[in-house]
Amino acid sequence: MIYGPAILFTRISALLLLIVVTRLINQEEYGLLTLVVTVGEMTDAAVTNWLRVALLRLGGTGEISRGNLVLAGKVMFGTTMLALVIAAVASAFVVPGRWVEFAIAVCTYLVVSTIGRFALTVLQMQQRHSTYSLLECLRGLLQLAFPIVAITIFPKTFLVVSLGTSAGMLTAGVIAFAVASRHVTAGPARFTAHELFALGIPLVAVALVGFGMNSSERLFLNAFHDATAVAIFAAAYVLARQPIDIVGHAINVGIFPEVMSRFDEEGPAASGELLSQVMALMMQLCLPVAAMLIALSGEITQLLLPQSYHGRTGLLFPAIAFAVVCANLTSVVYGAVIHAHKRPWLLIVATLLGSVGTISLSVVLIPRLAELGAAIALAGGAVMA
């Protein structure tokens, strides 16, 4: 649980940013800001995220050679360029009226996220968990402070807030790179580009078939309604998700490298025993949090969100909380087992089912039920996955 403080701090930072930003910009601008993150995360998941997972699996732990990072850096540059092209094209379809601003925000988000997350991955490979945790706390602080300062100086638009958060991520990423590079040793790569892509291509396939599970309900909300509906759903999602994810994500981030190491050193039985303990712990901690959020949804909304959000978010909490618990459980247990066996293509089946479920329910429910339909579609997809 050494990652606990970092996860707690970054989640609290995201929650505070929601509370502040929803009071400084209108619902349409906040909805567009949410769509920036949505498109950015979708693109990252499909094009660049696989590299970080492959590095953790192939690059080893402890001393990391410069050859590993040089090879990974070359691949990262190419995948990032591809991601920028995809993001620019997608922006014209998602927000045609303001696609230039939107494309700038998404592309900036992708570049700085790649830098920051790659540096943090290296720290994980070096097993410098305390340093990783400290820099994650710094990232959370900067991504809270920078956009708030920016929006008090510049026009109150989604682009200003997005560039502010990106500046915070970039600053933390540069510092993380500087810290990680001091412990990089000379030597060739421990893996080839072929091995990297052999492990990564199935992960890309998983991301593509999992389009429906990567916040696609927000795109449908924007298409069938408008950015205001996206804002209401996204605000409820943050409030219902963050407390559960503080627990679930801390366990997931901390346990993944340990499961990989135990599988390699002691075998499947030892890693399976560890995963059983982790699954029980996660249910014991997450379910009470979810129940509390559902019971206090009305009070939480009135306390933390502006008046314009009241009365429309409380009904969303049960479905969102349920979906978040399912997603965390799937990620920690099922995902870890598959990556330990180096068979990421097995994720395709489960992800495809979840994606089809979310998209189908979104098309059926969102036109009539708007935000509530999006929440139900999210929960339905999580169950099917």
Side-chain angles (χ1 to χ4, degrees):
M1 293 296 290
I2 195 170
Y3 292 117
I7 301 302
L8 176 63
F9 193 87
T10 53
R11 298 297 176 181
I12 291 176
S13 173
L15 181 60
L16 291 174
L17 186 63
L18 165 72
I19 296 171
V20 174
V21 169
T22 51
R23 285 168 167 79
L24 294 179
I25 62 177
N26 61 40
Q27 285 185 341
E28 181 182 2
E29 294 298 317
Y30 183 71
L32 291 172
L33 176 65
T34 298
L35 289 171
V36 168
V37 178
T38 299
V39 175
E41 288 293 336
M42 282 183 167
T43 309
D44 176 74
V47 184
T48 59
N49 182 65
W50 66 270
L51 179 60
R52 295 187 287 271
V53 177
L55 268 179
L56 282 171
R57 194 68 193 97
L58 295 175
T61 56
E63 292 187 351
I64 306 303
S65 71
R66 186 170 290 107
N68 282 353
L69 300 187
V70 170
L71 176 58
K74 292 178 180 178
V75 176
M76 182 181 70
F77 178 81
T79 56
T80 302
M81 292 300 102
L82 176 61
L84 295 180
V85 174
I86 294 173
V89 173
S91 298
F93 289 95
V94 177
V95 189
R98 300 173 66 179
W99 80 270
V100 175
E101 294 174 81
F102 195 84
I104 292 172
V106 174
C107 290
T108 304
Y109 174 92
L110 284 169
V111 171
V112 302
S113 292
T114 299
I115 294 171
R117 291 172 179 175
F118 183 73
L120 291 171
T121 299
V122 175
L123 289 173
Q124 278 188 291
M125 294 168 66
Q126 293 172 339
Q127 295 188 324
R128 299 170 66 188
H129 304 303
S130 297
T131 304
Y132 176 98
S133 183
L134 180 62
L135 287 168
E136 273 284 74
C137 289
L138 175 63
R139 178 181 69 83
L141 177 62
L142 295 178
Q143 288 193 296
L144 172 64
F146 280 16
I148 292 176
V149 172
I151 206 170
T152 59
I153 300 173
F154 301 103
K156 293 177 171 56
T157 66
F158 78 92
L159 179 60
V160 170
V161 179
S162 180
L163 293 180
T165 57
S166 293
M169 181 65 173
L170 179 61
T171 303
V174 170
I175 295 173
F177 255 124
V179 172
S181 63
R182 296 177 182 176
H183 292 262
V184 174
T185 61
R190 295 179 52 183
F191 51 85
T192 65
H194 175 76
E195 291 175 316
L196 198 63
F197 281 106
L199 185 59
I201 288 176
L203 297 177
V204 174
V206 169
L208 291 176
V209 300
F211 164 79
M213 298 185 65
N214 293 321
S215 301
S216 65
E217 69 281 345
R218 303 181 186 192
L219 298 181
F220 285 108
L221 263 178
N222 185 58
F224 286 118
H225 297 278
D226 52 29
T228 300
V230 177
I232 293 170
F233 174 79
Y237 183 78
V238 171
L239 294 179
R241 172 194 175 190
Q242 298 295 14
I244 301 172
D245 260 5
I246 286 174
V247 177
H249 193 60
I251 295 174
N252 191 11
V253 172
I255 205 63
F256 186 82
E258 180 63 26
V259 171
M260 299 301 106
S261 176
R262 187 168 297 192
F263 182 90
D264 291 337
E265 297 173 3
E266 302 179 31
S271 61
E273 181 181 355
L274 176 61
L275 279 174
S276 297
Q277 297 170 358
V278 170
M279 182 172 63
L281 175 64
M282 176 168 286
M283 296 303 289
Q284 290 172 1
L285 295 177
C286 289
L287 289 181
V289 175
M292 181 190 68
L293 288 169
I294 294 170
L296 300 177
S297 58
E299 290 79 1
I300 292 172
T301 300
Q302 292 178 13
L303 178 64
L304 301 180
L305 295 178
Q307 181 66 37
S308 58
Y309 289 82
H310 294 179
R312 300 179 64 181
T313 57
L315 293 176
L316 310 182
F317 272 64
I320 293 174
F322 177 75
V324 174
V325 170
C326 289
N328 274 284
L329 190 61
T330 300
S331 177
V332 169
V333 180
Y334 188 58
V337 170
I338 286 177
H339 289 306
H341 286 274
K342 297 183 181 179
R343 297 177 180 176
W345 54 269
L346 290 174
L347 284 169
I348 294 176
V349 176
T351 306
L352 179 61
L353 290 174
S355 183
V356 170
T358 302
I359 292 175
S360 300
L361 290 172
S362 294
V363 172
V364 173
L365 298 177
I366 288 178
R368 293 184 291 115
L369 300 178
E371 303 92 358
L372 181 58
I376 296 173
L378 179 69
V383 171
M384 294 183 69

